[in-house]
Amino acid sequence: MNAVIALCHFCEAHGPSAIFCTQTLRDTKLEDLYFNGPQNVADPAPKQCPACNSVGLTNGLYSKDNESGATFLSTQVSPLPDVATLVKQAAVRSLSCEITHSKDGGFVFFGDTSRGHVLSHTFHVSDLQARGFYQLFSIIILMKDKYFLLNTKPFLAEHLRRISLETQNSAKRIKEEEELKGSPRQRRLSGSQPLVQTPRSLVELTGEENIFAILHTHFSWLLLAGSRFLTEHVTFGNLPWLPPQSTSHPPQQRLTYNITTLPMIQKYETLDDPEEFYSLIHIKQLLKKPEFIALCYCALTGVKIIVRGDARRTFYFMMCLKKLLPDQMHSLIRVDAQHQHSISADYKIISISNEIAVPIASASIFRVDFLPETDDGNDVLIKWPGTVPNKLPDLLVKLLKAVNETRFTELVLNRHTKVLVEEWKNKVICLNHAKSTNGQNKLKRVLGVQPQDQALINYWSAHLH
């Protein structure tokens, strides 16, 4: 998961700051990183307060997942200056203005495209020597992908609450032990306890000497599990290959803690059977540009598509159209229908043989006829008297841009298509849960839904819940 997880603390002496940061290393080697504190001479000197420090500016904890090749690094300050700046800004907001008043810990989402999107979990940790008898902490997850963060929020929130509860319970045991020695209020009033004390570190508050190693384990597993819970497929860059997950359950903890070199980046090899990843590029090559746009528009908005011809040739064509719809809507597709009554059924995309009579093309029926192969290559006949609107749905615009991207391989295009379809599936599900028209309009503004997207939403809403 392309994210940064940080533990933040509001120090009574120095204010808010991030004290422990975990991130995924991709193609950066450990020897290329420098742990020398602030990278800019204009940056302030590092704080020596115990509460503002964790593992030290020159130390770090390193883990590696043997199966996927992903590596995780935890440091007090991110060794990447750009990341450190974003984490610092997010830490200040999570402990000052973007905060809930729940002592048990609440969740706040904030951010923007330039400074990243943040899920913040703020909670109290008992401290009899602190003002109000508690210290304020937060765990933030910083990510550039807004929708990925929102989609995984329930999963992330569940585990962040477990981490904070574990920390709070350890601090409560220390608090109970200190209370047995006398009332902290009486010690303060009697003058036996100084009014101004050096803030205590998390190690002292919890009594756990290896608290930051434990947090490193939690944060590393969360980054790994998040990438498997809802997999990100990358379109650019050299990232390690993550094997497909057969179920929606996150993997068990299986990290090793020996420092080794980063694995060689695995590249996608040429597929033995390219038709297994049949992509929109093939359809684009068969049709003219206006016909290709019209076909995709009809598939996305629910216009019935009838593909007629040899089953061997129409099968892969149908499998490609299937990629334009979410998994829940694949039941609307009928491959190799054997009877005429299937045409008038609830199926939206149907392939049939040449022997079956089909209705005349109309605005509600898009016809694709595979003719016997000819020398000139014009063996696909399109019949549809309908018209495509001037403004296309946002999903279709992005799909057309991806198809025209020459740097995309067929495998990358297929995975990119799946990501775009999942994004809009989640938008439609969110709109379905809106309880009023006013609430739905507000959601549309937040999700970036435009009037030209309404035809797609009307079709998908009836099948996504």
Side-chain angles (χ1 to χ4, degrees):
M1 185 168 66
N2 296 326
V4 179
I5 305 181
L7 175 69
C8 309
H9 170 243
F10 196 104
C11 178
E12 295 181 359
H14 303 103
S17 64
I19 63 174
F20 192 70
C21 175
T22 304
Q23 62 192 101
T24 306
L25 291 180
R26 296 297 183 182
D27 52 359
T28 303
K29 296 183 179 180
L30 287 177
E31 52 267 28
D32 295 334
L33 302 176
Y34 297 93
F35 306 95
N36 295 323
Q39 301 292 325
N40 193 331
V41 294
D43 291 343
K47 304 165 187 175
Q48 299 302 320
C49 167
C52 297
N53 285 268
S54 55
V55 295
L57 295 176
T58 59
N59 300 322
L61 298 173
Y62 171 76
S63 301
K64 174 184 175 182
D65 176 48
N66 292 326
E67 181 177 325
S68 67
T71 55
F72 308 94
L73 177 67
S74 292
T75 53
Q76 183 166 307
V77 179
S78 174
L80 305 178
D82 293 341
V83 175
T85 301
L86 295 177
V87 171
K88 181 179 179 180
Q89 294 172 350
V92 172
R93 293 183 64 178
S94 72
L95 293 169
S96 55
C97 55
E98 308 288 354
I99 189 172
T100 63
H101 299 286
S102 173
K103 293 183 179 180
D104 297 330
F107 292 89
V108 177
F109 174 82
F110 62 89
D112 50 52
T113 54
S114 60
R115 290 175 291 184
H117 302 280
V118 180
L119 177 65
S120 173
H121 174 48
T122 309
F123 57 98
H124 294 171
V125 174
S126 300
D127 182 7
L128 294 181
Q129 296 182 12
R131 183 183 307 168
F133 301 110
Y134 72 86
Q135 291 195 34
L136 186 62
F137 286 83
S138 72
I139 302 175
I140 60 173
I141 298 181
L142 174 67
M143 190 182 297
K144 285 291 187 178
D145 192 331
K146 173 183 177 181
Y147 297 109
F148 186 88
L149 182 58
L150 289 174
N151 289 334
T152 55
K153 189 262 181 182
F155 167 75
L156 297 174
E158 175 188 356
H159 290 279
L160 290 184
R161 193 179 295 277
R162 290 182 181 179
I163 295 172
S164 64
L165 184 60
E166 180 181 323
T167 306
Q168 288 175 319
N169 290 338
S170 299
K172 285 180 181 178
R173 288 194 293 269
I174 299 299
K175 174 187 174 183
E176 293 171 356
E177 294 176 3
E178 292 179 347
E179 285 179 336
L180 294 177
K181 302 176 182 178
S183 170
R185 184 182 297 275
Q186 291 179 356
R187 292 200 300 271
R188 289 185 180 183
L189 294 176
S190 64
S192 60
Q193 178 177 314
L195 295 178
V196 180
Q197 298 188 31
T198 302
R200 294 193 287 180
S201 68
L202 189 61
V203 174
E204 296 176 277
L205 295 180
T206 59
E208 179 57 64
E209 183 178 357
N210 300 316
I211 183 64
F212 291 108
I214 295 174
L215 289 175
H216 168 75
T217 304
H218 287 316
F219 291 170
S220 300
W221 180 84
L222 200 57
L223 288 172
L224 174 65
S227 65
R228 305 293 294 275
F229 184 82
L230 180 61
T231 304
E232 287 178 301
H233 291 301
V234 186
T235 55
F236 286 112
N238 294 326
L239 301 189
W241 175 74
L242 292 178
Q245 181 76 356
S246 58
T247 66
S248 60
H249 301 290
Q252 297 180 350
Q253 299 189 31
R254 45 176 172 74
L255 299 173
T256 57
Y257 296 93
N258 53 331
I259 299 180
T260 58
T261 58
L262 286 171
M264 294 296 292
I265 302 301
Q266 298 185 23
K267 297 182 179 180
Y268 294 108
E269 301 295 338
T270 303
L271 299 171
D272 295 333
D273 184 8
E275 290 180 333
E276 183 181 358
F277 292 93
Y278 202 81
S279 69
L280 293 172
I281 296 176
H282 292 78
I283 293 185
K284 181 186 175 184
Q285 294 171 346
L286 291 173
L287 309 180
K288 299 177 182 178
K289 181 178 179 180
E291 295 174 343
F292 175 69
I293 296 175
L295 174 67
C296 294
Y297 176 79
C298 292
L300 293 174
T301 57
V303 176
K304 186 181 289 294
I305 299 175
I306 299 177
V307 184
R308 188 184 188 193
D310 178 66
R312 180 184 61 83
R313 302 184 64 199
T314 60
F315 175 77
Y316 294 112
F317 191 89
M318 296 289 292
M319 290 300 98
C320 189
L321 293 179
K322 184 178 180 181
K323 300 176 187 296
L324 297 174
L325 298 174
D327 293 343
Q328 294 91 325
M329 299 176 67
H330 288 175
S331 58
L332 303 175
I333 300 173
R334 174 71 182 268
V335 179
D336 194 20
Q338 300 295 329
H339 304 284
Q340 187 175 359
H341 67 78
S342 299
I343 299 176
S344 59
D346 294 332
Y347 299 110
K348 288 294 184 179
I349 303 177
I350 307 169
S351 71
I352 60 175
S353 61
N354 290 321
E355 292 75 21
I356 300 178
V358 295
I360 299 175
S362 63
S364 59
I365 297 178
F366 189 101
R367 284 269 305 274
V368 181
D369 289 292
F370 279 83
L371 307 176
E373 297 185 11
T374 58
D375 296 335
D376 58 4
N378 296 324
D379 54 353
V380 180
L381 181 63
I382 300 297
K383 297 179 181 179
W384 187 55
T387 58
V388 175
N390 294 329
K391 286 190 174 182
L392 301 175
D394 178 70
L395 175 57
L396 180 54
V397 172
K398 292 180 179 178
L399 287 172
L400 294 176
K401 184 178 179 181
V403 173
N404 294 325
E405 177 55 66
T406 57
R407 290 173 292 182
F408 279 7
T409 64
E410 292 178 8
L411 177 60
V412 170
L413 178 59
N414 274 283
R415 293 191 168 180
H416 185 68
T417 301
K418 184 175 182 180
V419 170
L420 294 176
V421 171
E422 285 294 313
E423 175 187 338
W424 272 93
K425 181 197 75 172
N426 292 324
K427 287 184 180 183
V428 172
I429 292 177
C430 288
L431 292 173
N432 281 344
H433 283 79
K435 298 181 180 180
S436 63
T437 304
N438 186 34
Q440 195 173 72
N441 291 333
K442 290 181 179 178
L443 268 178
K444 286 182 178 179
R445 289 194 294 270
V446 172
L447 298 174
V449 176
Q450 302 296 324
Q452 60 266 27
D453 302 316
Q454 194 59 49
L456 181 148
I457 293 174
N458 293 339
Y459 174 42
W460 289 25
S461 295
H463 306 282
L464 299 176
H465 305 285

